Amino acid sequence: MATADRPAPEGIAVGVDVGGSGIKVSVVDVVHGTLIGPRLRIATPQPSTPDVVVPVIVRTVRRALKEAGIDRSDVAVGVGMPAVVIDGVTRSAANIDPMWLDYDLGSHLRQAMKRPVYVLNDADAAGLAEMRFGAGVGERGVVFVLTLGTGLGSGMFNDGVLVPNSELGHMEIRGRDAERRSAAVARTRRGLSWKAWASDLDEHLHAIDKLFSPNLIILGGGVSKNADKFIPRLTIRPRVVPATLRNDAGIVGAAMAAAERYVDGDPTLKR
Ligand code: BGC
């Protein structure tokens, strides 16, 4: 039952953010973009093959719902994956185990959890949340939300509408994947100064601007808390701002996607 301090059931979904080092789960109030109950974080099992990761997702979702005091079976689950995702199937595996290639995660989770499930790219999920509740609110035209972490993820929006699976981390720059130099781990892995890394990131952003002429680029991922160390050094024409939702964007966006696709009656959400 909806109470004064709890949103109506249709305004609730579970968000899951699967990353290279952690799997983060929380129940989300998708109307306000806030977490309900605890934010659970489980270390990603190694090797992170689907047969070990799927049971961890199932167990952690169950725990998150229980600890949030929600027992409805129609609460949807959204899962952000660091991969191209088409119709619930992971279609790439750049920074995850190759066993994820062509894996029908949507069907497996639906079968295991007996609830509506929506799977999408992790940066698309973070982007949805950032556009609705963060630095992208009210921004029109072409906007990119880039997540700088182990890889570089991209969420592409036009007038607030997501164009999924843009994968700008894999643009080719100097003969290799751009994310090898512009992702946040590229700085620590190569022991670079902020200045040197900002210049590599700048080169990637110039290439993005040349192809897409965005109005705004929002930079997210843990590194965005150090935005003052690199954003002022960027030389591109579009505005660049740090993301404001930080760590929770992936969870909130995945939950939003699940709740909204569910309400829209998306046929990929088989019960
Ligand atoms: C993957 C993307 C993902 C990004 C951030 C890249 O290596 O190809 O799908 O969004 O990392 O996790």
Side-chain angles (χ1 to χ4, degrees), residues 17-20 81-85 92-96 121-124 147-155 165 167-170 177 179 183:
D17 187 10
V18 178
M81 288 294 299
V84 168
V85 180
S92 69
N95 285 310
I96 50 171
N121 171 263
D122 57 357
D124 286 348
T147 60
L148 309 173
T150 313
L152 183 146
S154 56
N165 294 313
E167 291 291 333
L168 298 191
H170 300 290
D177 267 3
E179 72 176 12

Side-chain angles (χ1 to χ4, degrees), residues 104-117:
D104 190 347
L105 179 59
S107 294
H108 280 90
L109 287 178
R110 239 167 259 131
Q111 220 162 46
M113 298 197 282
K114 309 269 183 285
R115 32 175 97 247
V117 173

Side-chain angles (χ1 to χ4, degrees), residues 60-84:
T60 315
V61 166
R62 200 176 295 143
R63 205 178 116 206
L65 281 162
K66 191 165 176 218
E67 291 186 21
I70 292 163
D71 57 5
R72 296 179 58 114
S73 63
D74 58 351
V75 172
V77 180
V79 183
M81 288 294 299
V84 168

Side-chain angles (χ1 to χ4, degrees), residues 26-239:
S26 183
V27 181
V28 177
D29 169 351
V30 295
V31 177
H32 301 101
T34 50
L35 307 190
I36 302 174
R39 176 181 188 281
L40 306 176
R41 186 184 185 282
I42 310 290
T44 307
Q46 297 301 336
S48 55
T49 50
D51 57 325
V52 282
V53 170
V54 168
V56 172
I57 296 176
V58 173
R59 269 202 308 276
T60 315
V61 166
R62 200 176 295 143
R63 205 178 116 206
L65 281 162
K66 191 165 176 218
E67 291 186 21
I70 292 163
D71 57 5
R72 296 179 58 114
S73 63
D74 58 351
V75 172
V77 180
V79 183
M81 288 294 299
V84 168
V85 180
I86 301 171
D87 295 335
V89 179
T90 45
R91 294 286 187 191
S92 69
N95 285 310
I96 50 171
D97 193 279
M99 294 294 283
W100 284 97
L101 261 187
D102 299 330
Y103 183 79
D104 190 347
L105 179 59
S107 294
H108 280 90
L109 287 178
R110 239 167 259 131
Q111 220 162 46
M113 298 197 282
K114 309 269 183 285
R115 32 175 97 247
V117 173
Y118 188 78
V119 186
L120 75 168
N121 171 263
D122 57 357
D124 286 348
L128 285 172
E130 206 58 54
M131 294 301 287
R132 177 82 53 87
F133 301 111
V137 172
E139 294 286 352
R140 313 293 293 171
V142 175
V143 176
F144 283 104
V145 179
L146 304 182
T147 60
L148 309 173
T150 313
L152 183 146
S154 56
M156 178 176 184
F157 294 82
N158 186 35
D159 287 345
V161 178
L162 173 68
V163 182
N165 294 313
S166 51
E167 291 291 333
L168 298 191
H170 300 290
M171 286 169 68
E172 191 180 309
I173 294 186
R174 300 192 188 207
R176 53 192 192 140
D177 267 3
E179 72 176 12
R180 304 271 309 154
R181 293 167 62 238
S182 54
V185 296
R187 188 183 68 85
T188 43
R189 191 189 61 230
R190 294 155 66 218
L192 295 182
S193 63
W194 285 104
K195 187 176 172 195
W197 175 70
S199 138
D200 288 349
L201 176 63
D202 200 37
E203 188 176 349
H204 190 178
L205 299 182
H206 273 283
I208 291 173
D209 184 30
K210 203 164 152 190
L211 293 180
F212 299 101
S213 304
N215 284 340
L216 173 68
I217 297 180
I218 300 171
L219 298 180
V223 77
S224 62
K225 64 176 180 290
N226 288 309
D228 58 320
K229 298 204 167 67
F230 60 96
I231 289 187
R233 301 184 195 270
L234 301 173
T235 64
I236 53 165
R237 178 201 51 84
R239 276 181 300 136

